[in-house]
Structure formats: C-alpha cells, structure tokens
Amino acid sequence: MSERVDVRKTYKLFIGGAFPRSESGRTYEVASSRGKFLANAAKASRKDARDAVGAARKAFGGWSKRTPYNRGQILYRVAEVLEGRRDQLVAEVRAAEGVNERRANAIVDAAVDTWVWYAGWADKLSQVTGNANQVNGPFFNLTSPEPTGVVAIAAPQQSSLLGLVEVLAPVLLSGNTAVVVSSYERPLPAITLSEILSTSDVPGGVVNVLTGDIAEIGPWLATHLDVNALDLTGVDDADVARDLEAEAAVNLKRVVRPGTSTAQALTRITPFLEHKTVWHPIGV
C-alpha cells in the first residue's frame, strides 16, 4: 500500500463572512518555528484591504445596533467554539511559537478566558463608562458610550493567538467592527479563529482577517477615510509605526500606539468608544 500524500493547504482571507483568495493571487509559505513547511497563506493586497474595510463598514450598522446583552451572548458563543477547537489551536500554537504542549495549553486557556472576560463586559460598559453629570439647572445631563466605528488592527507578531484575542475582543464588545492584519510569520491561529467566527453567530463583516505584511497593507488602512481608529499594537518597526500614525491624521483617527499593554483592562476598551451627551428637562 502506497504512503498517503498530505493535502497541502492554501489558507484564504476572511472578508465579509467569506473566505476569498487574495485579489492579487499572491501567496506565501508559512513555516513552523523549526522551519518546517506548514501551509500556504494568501498575501493580502491593498484591494483586499479596501474590500475588508467596505465589509466592516457595511456590517457596522447592524452590529452596533444590537443590544449589548446580545453582543455579549454572541461573543460568549465564540468562546464556546474556541474551547471546542482547543486541540487544533494547541497544535497550531505549538508549531507557530515553538512552545511545549503544556505552555501551548496554557496559552489557549488564556485566550478562551480573555474572550469570556470581555464578553462579560458587553452589557456592563454603559453603567461603568456612562454618567449622570452634575449640572446647575432644571435638567438632566447624561453621558453614554457609543462605538467609534471601523477599527484597523495590527495583531501582535509573536503572540499568534492570545495576542490576537487581546486586541480583537475589546474592539468588538462595544459594537465596533474590525479589520485585522494577522501575524505575518504565524498566521494559522488567526485563520482558525476566522473559521470559528464564521460559525459562531458573528455577522459577516464584523471581523475581517487579512494575512500579509502590515508594512505593505498598513498605509492603505491608515489613510482610508472609512477607518475610524488604528491599533498599532502589533507593529514592531518603530519607523513603520511612526509613519502609520502620521498617515492616520488624515481623518483624525484614534491611534493606539505600539507598546500599549494588552492585559485584560477597561483601558483596552475605552480607546474605541465615543461619548454622547444628552440634555433632558426635568419633568418632561
């Protein structure tokens, strides 16, 4: 009996709830931490970035209008499916990051726990970040949080799964939509997360994942007028980060700079919030 030949995989992008090939037709090889070939991944182009932003903008209206409780339910469902795919994720994290099985299990556990932690914030955010302001007059002055809009995210380059979850989950819970550029050398956990999102009640376009080089794709996201915020956490090159931050000024995008802590905290959520203030007369 002849030896079975492995099926060599070419992973696609995740745009608008679908898995298209790159418009450019380009791919690149993904290798393990030891240099072993793992798969081919699509190499996103500027056209792919524009398509992803368009999908995110289209999905923003519906996602932001869902009740916070419903968004929390959907995000918790993502955590459930993450838990169900843990064996695959552990194998991919081991291959990508070169850690042992015990460490890989701990990373996946932390990723699931982080997702649950942020899901739990969805219906509590308004009470914590909103406010009834003190005013000198016969009226109420109320402040409530609202989502910023479309957020472009450069995922951490070294932490292929946990780092990605730490930057993506806080963007989604408040009603924002996202365009994520995954780790270039370690994209497989991000692609698996895309497959999980597509089967976890998350509407198409709420999350869009591009595999490719942030130095190539980043300028098109930074200057895109339909992107409202830019998270540069995963940009390791200081010159690239500085250029992207400068280009983001074209429409006064909110920018999270490299080196910002990704630990579970309210400060990971608030950069992607705007606050609406309402005046209401007493007794009306």
Side-chain angles (χ1 to χ4, degrees), residues 19 28 34-35 73 101 115 134 147 154 156 167 183 187-188 195 211 225 236 262-263 267 269 277-278:
F19 292 90
Y28 68 98
R34 298 182 178 181
Q73 287 179 311
E101 184 173 0
W115 201 280
Q134 295 184 4
V167 296
S183 167
L188 299 193
E195 296 173 352
T211 51
L225 297 182
D236 295 333
T262 59
T267 52
I269 304 172
T277 300
V278 177

Side-chain angles (χ1 to χ4, degrees), residues 153-167 181-184 186 233-236 262:
I153 303 171
Q157 296 299 305
Q158 303 304 314
S159 182
S160 59
L161 177 64
L162 179 57
L164 172 61
V165 168
E166 288 175 332
V167 296
V181 182
S182 72
S183 167
Y184 183 79
R186 304 171 176 182
T233 299
V235 180
D236 295 333
T262 59

Side-chain angles (χ1 to χ4, degrees), residues 125-150:
L125 197 60
S126 180
Q127 295 93 316
V128 175
T129 62
N131 196 26
N133 305 308
Q134 295 184 4
V135 291
N136 184 18
F139 43 78
F140 295 111
N141 181 254
L142 306 174
T143 299
S144 60
E146 293 189 340
T148 294
V150 176

Side-chain angles (χ1 to χ4, degrees), residues 23-279:
E23 166 273 339
S24 66
R26 299 180 301 170
T27 61
Y28 68 98
E29 292 188 357
V30 178
S32 71
S33 60
R34 298 182 178 181
K36 179 183 178 182
F37 174 84
L38 296 175
N40 294 301
K43 191 172 185 179
S45 67
R46 62 184 184 182
K47 174 64 165 58
D48 299 316
R50 290 199 300 267
D51 289 345
V53 172
R57 176 56 62 188
K58 184 177 180 181
F60 174 71
W63 181 244
S64 61
K65 290 177 182 177
R66 288 177 180 261
T67 65
Y69 181 75
N70 183 236
R71 285 199 298 270
Q73 287 179 311
I74 292 172
L75 294 178
Y76 188 82
R77 174 60 182 159
V78 174
E80 291 177 336
V81 182
L82 273 169
E83 188 75 54
R85 297 276 291 268
R86 64 173 298 109
D87 290 344
Q88 179 184 357
L89 289 167
V90 166
E92 289 177 347
V93 168
R94 287 190 68 186
E97 301 182 18
V99 296
N100 59 32
E101 184 173 0
R102 182 177 179 180
R103 176 59 183 156
N105 273 285
I107 289 171
V108 174
D109 287 343
V112 175
D113 293 346
T114 297
W115 201 280
V116 171
W117 192 85
Y118 281 112
W121 267 104
D123 61 350
K124 303 170 184 65
L125 197 60
S126 180
Q127 295 93 316
V128 175
T129 62
N131 196 26
N133 305 308
Q134 295 184 4
V135 291
N136 184 18
F139 43 78
F140 295 111
N141 181 254
L142 306 174
T143 299
S144 60
E146 293 189 340
T148 294
V150 176
V151 181
I153 303 171
Q157 296 299 305
Q158 303 304 314
S159 182
S160 59
L161 177 64
L162 179 57
L164 172 61
V165 168
E166 288 175 332
V167 296
L168 178 58
V171 168
L172 300 180
L173 72 92
S174 59
N176 297 295
T177 55
V179 176
V180 182
V181 182
S182 72
S183 167
Y184 183 79
E185 295 183 353
R186 304 171 176 182
L188 299 193
I191 298 169
T192 298
L193 179 61
S194 300
E195 296 173 352
I196 289 169
L197 293 169
S198 71
T199 57
S200 301
D201 300 329
V202 178
V206 170
V207 180
N208 305 272
V209 179
L210 305 176
T211 51
D213 187 356
I214 186 62
E216 176 185 351
I217 307 170
W220 301 101
L221 295 173
T223 57
H224 200 300
L225 297 182
D226 226 5
V227 174
N228 304 103
L230 189 62
D231 186 345
L232 301 178
T233 299
V235 180
D236 295 333
D237 188 311
D239 292 333
V240 172
R242 184 178 60 250
D243 291 344
L244 292 177
E245 185 173 354
E247 290 166 342
V250 66
N251 65 334
L252 302 180
K253 293 177 178 64
R254 296 189 175 196
V255 176
V256 176
R257 291 174 171 169
T260 303
S261 173
T262 59
Q264 296 176 6
L266 194 61
T267 52
R268 285 300 310 181
I269 304 172
T270 51
F272 311 112
L273 294 176
E274 297 179 358
H275 286 83
K276 178 178 71 174
T277 300
V278 177
W279 301 77

